[in-house]
Amino acid sequence: MKNKIIFITGSTDGIGKACARRFASAGARLVLNGRNPEKLHDLQQDLTERYAVEIFPLPFDVRDRKAVARAVESLPVEWQAVDVLINNAGLVLGIDKEHEGCLDDWEIVIDTNIKGLLTVTRLVVPGMVKRERGHIINIGSIAGDTAYPGGSVYCATKAAVKALTDGLRIDLVDTPLRVTNIKPGLVETHFSITRFYGDKAKADAVYLGLKPLTGKDIAETVFFAASAPEHVQIAEVLIMPVNQATATITYREGVNSER
Ligand code: 8X3
């Protein structure tokens, strides 16, 4: 991984941040995206204190097509040859039923999880095709395989990530590029706190009675896929805590096991 350029969207929290750490520890060069320039700056400082790593911070909101284009075009030539694109930026807001939820929130979720991923892919992948080298790793979800109560729109966006990942793999089949969908189950990050609009108690309840995955667990899987031999394409990985069996079935010590 030494000196490879890894471009990570949504790198200032959770899985994205854990990926930044994992690849930094392996000597990669990192293009780190996030919406908040201060958080990006703090992350850059933290990583450069711990590792011998070069970082190019790239603040933008994946929902803003023009900003994404400006940012990608602003990359200096020595940062343009991206080896691995990790499309991680994503979120969920609310746990409402499909016929009752907030359209404004859903627009944010759809624009980030689907259109944002597509925009970054559209801007970064042509360079990979030209260079005949690259790996696109999308962070999907178990939610893309099965809908669950209160997850309708989020699940739809992750089903879209699956379709976009599979479609891209088909479109790139005659190239040396690899395309991967990492589909986590329950991972304890800021994800549920955002979902519950900052209500930490409700977020904590999501992981009650079992040991959830961490961002680091997912970053290890992403790293594994990225460091496989070049002829090996890890198409999908579904990864869950040991006491989770499906999107809705878990075993929780002393707690009702259904979502
Ligand atoms: C995160 C997994 O099941 O909490 O994408 O939605 S889940």
Side-chain angles (χ1 to χ4, degrees), residues 15 92 139-144 146 148 151 154-155 158 183-187 191-192 195 206-207 244 246-248 259:
I15 294 172
V92 61
I139 305 301
S141 171
I142 193 172
T146 335
Y148 59 71
Y154 176 69
C155 295
K158 291 299 181 176
K183 306 188 297 183
L186 290 164
V187 184
F191 176 82
S192 289
R195 162 169 259 167
V206 174
Y207 310 106
Q244 179 173 20
T246 71
T248 53
R259 216 180 243 275

Side-chain angles (χ1 to χ4, degrees), residues 8 17 40 100 134 188 197 239:
I8 309 173
K17 193 175 189 172
L40 265 184
E100 294 173 351
E188 191 165 17
Y197 308 99
I239 169 170

